[in-house]
Amino acid sequence: MGQQINLPTTRTQCIGAYLARPAGKPKGGIVVIQEIFGVNAHMRSVVDRFAEHGYTAIAPAFFDHLESGVELGYDRAGYAKGKQLITELGLDRALEDVASAAEAISSAGRIGTVGYCWGGTVALLSALRLGLPSVSYYGARNLPFLHEVPKAPVMFHFGEKDPNIPPEMVAKHREAMPQMDVFTYPADHGFNRDVGAQYHPASAQLAMQRTLAFFEQHLADA
């Protein structure tokens, strides 16, 4: 369904991106923000799924700033390499790329973001600093930013069995942003990723329903 494109960024370098368009007039646009594993087959399938639901969706390949075409596996080596790359990339440059991707699909209408794991924190920052309505899935790096005042709505999804995000960490989201929806599920970290042991179909389906309702509310034409 989708296609690879070149995405101009605010810096001199273009990066790749995976873009998918809906069959009819788009309901809006969604920037899909990857986990630490790059824009791999799973992330492309997420982009395709949002396009099937009526949105123009794009996943920028942030790691192209560092290495071209990074697609990592979910083994120990993949985790280690992904963590190295996100550390080297930094959140500020990722946020610049989100803004570039949002601009690239601006003809679709209002733009939001959805992010997973590391991308969940980038999605939070997209709401805080870019004013894009955003959905953050299990962002374990959110806490340092919860004091910032959101410029747009944000929805949070967490797994109750996630060892990286204990209940007290989830509670801090509710305390800092009582006006935002914070949902938990009887699942582990990465419960939306349908290519591994952490996948929890019932939780993934419910979270997707809530995510789509969020975008229907916040990206619909005024």
Side-chain angles (χ1 to χ4, degrees):
M1 175 187 282
Q3 63 183 119
Q4 295 293 144
I5 66 165
N6 288 321
L7 179 67
T9 70
T10 54
R11 310 200 179 199
T12 56
Q13 182 183 11
C14 277
I15 61 173
Y18 182 74
L19 172 71
R21 300 184 187 278
K25 180 185 176 183
K27 300 176 182 178
I30 297 175
V31 180
V32 176
I33 307 170
Q34 63 176 59
E35 302 171 300
I36 66 172
F37 308 103
V39 182
N40 57 14
H42 169 62
M43 293 314 303
R44 292 192 292 271
S45 75
V46 173
V47 172
D48 289 341
R49 202 169 306 146
F50 280 108
E52 289 167 5
H53 284 285
Y55 296 92
T56 298
I58 186 171
F62 305 97
F63 293 163
D64 278 4
H65 288 292
L66 309 172
E67 295 181 24
S68 295
V70 175
E71 296 188 33
L72 302 175
Y74 303 108
D75 55 4
R76 186 173 296 178
Y79 275 93
K81 179 68 171 178
K83 287 179 179 178
Q84 172 198 328
L85 288 168
I86 61 168
T87 300
E88 191 175 343
L89 180 72
L91 291 168
D92 289 341
R93 184 152 36 165
L95 206 57
E96 291 173 11
D97 290 346
V98 170
S100 296
E103 176 63 28
I105 61 170
S106 59
S107 63
R110 293 183 179 174
I111 310 299
T113 85
V114 60
Y116 306 86
C117 185
W118 172 78
T121 297
V122 179
L124 168 61
L125 288 170
S126 299
L128 293 174
R129 300 178 184 178
L130 300 179
L132 301 176
S134 298
V135 179
S136 171
Y137 278 75
Y138 30 83
R141 299 166 177 82
N142 292 352
L143 290 192
F145 310 107
L146 293 181
H147 68 281
E148 297 186 27
V149 178
K151 294 181 178 178
V154 57
M155 173 183 284
F156 298 97
H157 300 300
F158 296 107
E160 293 162 4
K161 301 176 183 178
D162 188 340
N164 301 310
I165 307 175
E168 55 269 24
M169 206 162 151
V170 175
K172 288 182 179 178
H173 289 72
R174 293 193 171 107
E175 292 163 11
M177 299 183 181
Q179 74 278 33
M180 305 302 182
D181 285 325
V182 180
F183 296 108
T184 63
Y185 304 84
D188 202 340
H189 187 84
F191 65 78
N192 185 72
R193 190 195 309 136
D194 56 1
V195 287
Q198 294 172 317
Y199 180 49
H200 194 267
S203 297
Q205 182 178 7
L206 179 55
M208 183 62 163
Q209 289 172 358
R210 289 167 168 165
T211 295
L212 290 171
F214 175 91
F215 286 132
E216 287 278 358
Q217 178 182 356
H218 296 295
L219 302 186
D221 290 337

